[in-house]
Amino acid sequence: VGSGDPEVLSGLDAERSNRCRLAHHKAVKRFFDEGIGRSMVQWCVASAATIGWAESIFDDSRGEEACQQLWRLLLKIVRADREDCLQAWDDHSASLALRSAALNQLELDHILFSGPGTDLTVGLSPKARFEGGSIRSQRGNEFIPNLPTEEVFTTPDWRKTQGDVRVTRPFLVNGTLVKDLRMTFRDGVLVNFEASSGQETLRSYVDSDEG
């Protein structure tokens, strides 16, 4: 999935790009909701190097040289550059499971994020559980759905989200890079945001769904 060039859709009409995204989302909704969302199937999402992506990262190399440099970096990140890569993934998944268990024992009510430009409170659902690493399909097969995966995650109560947040790195929305994003939340609602680039694309994305 995704684009070989991070900026291939930059400059196109934001509304048209978003209509394309919504149509794609509708087309695959049943597969994701009933298949992946309920672990009816096993899947794996992994990053693949492209020249466009590589050139957006490295300043000292271009073309195929940059792509190969990115491949080497990705293989290291997903532990595929070592002989014991399968054991390393088993160990890593077990570590994420221990981290999730430790966080669940804390019975957290909310999480605070603070930093330059960020003072954000995210409330958690009373039924929230932290998870991470491998999951088990409905057929009983254990698998790791994301390569790499370094996170543990949980379920917020969106109504309790309050404060300001600054996104410190560029990210893609509908094929357009959004940079220097700052957002303000009140009672779970995004009430204001601004970005140095990609702001109209993000606005179209946000306005497409009331929730």
Side-chain angles (χ1 to χ4, degrees):
V1 298
S3 167
D5 184 345
E7 300 193 63
V8 68
L9 299 181
S10 295
L12 297 185
D13 181 78
E15 291 295 333
R16 294 181 67 184
S17 295
N18 198 58
R19 287 202 301 272
C20 181
R21 178 189 67 83
L22 290 172
H24 177 264
H25 177 75
K26 183 178 180 180
V28 300
K29 187 176 188 301
R30 180 172 179 267
F31 172 73
F32 278 94
D33 287 356
E34 298 183 20
I36 286 181
R38 298 181 181 178
S39 295
M40 289 288 290
V41 296
Q42 293 119 244
W43 75 93
C44 182
V45 178
S47 297
T50 65
I51 291 176
W53 183 19
E55 289 184 344
S56 73
I57 296 174
F58 303 117
D59 296 327
D60 57 347
S61 59
R62 315 298 295 171
E64 188 61 32
E65 179 186 349
C67 190
Q68 290 302 314
Q69 188 175 348
L70 179 54
W71 267 121
R72 289 191 292 271
L73 183 61
L74 290 174
L75 290 172
K76 181 177 181 180
I77 290 172
V78 299
R79 300 168 172 81
D81 63 336
R82 45 195 289 183
E83 291 292 332
D84 64 339
C85 58
L86 297 180
Q87 184 61 52
W89 270 104
D90 286 342
D91 295 343
H92 181 55
S93 182
S95 175
L96 293 175
L98 288 173
R99 190 175 303 166
S100 298
L103 288 167
N104 286 328
Q105 288 179 357
L106 296 177
E107 298 183 348
L108 299 176
D109 175 72
H110 60 277
I111 300 175
L112 303 177
F113 297 88
S114 62
T118 294
D119 183 9
L120 184 72
T121 300
V122 177
L124 301 183
S125 165
K127 298 181 180 180
R129 301 285 297 171
F130 283 90
E131 296 182 1
S134 65
I135 61 177
R136 190 171 297 277
S137 74
Q138 290 196 19
R139 299 173 182 174
N141 297 317
E142 189 173 350
F143 68 100
I144 296 178
N146 297 316
L147 296 178
T149 182
E150 304 295 331
E151 67 179 0
V152 295
F153 57 93
T154 190
T155 307
D157 181 339
W158 66 270
R159 296 162 293 187
K160 299 178 182 178
T161 302
Q162 304 277 359
D164 302 307
V165 61
R166 172 175 167 256
V167 182
T168 58
R169 297 188 181 186
F171 64 98
L172 278 174
V173 174
N174 291 346
T176 297
L177 275 177
V178 178
K179 300 179 180 179
D180 304 315
L181 176 63
R182 296 174 181 269
M183 299 180 288
T184 299
F185 291 88
R186 296 288 180 267
D187 299 323
V189 177
L190 179 61
V191 296
N192 186 49
F193 66 88
E194 59 182 27
S196 64
S197 65
Q199 181 166 316
E200 290 308 309
T201 298
L202 182 61
R203 187 182 308 280
S204 177
Y205 178 85
V206 171
D207 289 345
S208 67
D209 186 343
E210 184 178 346

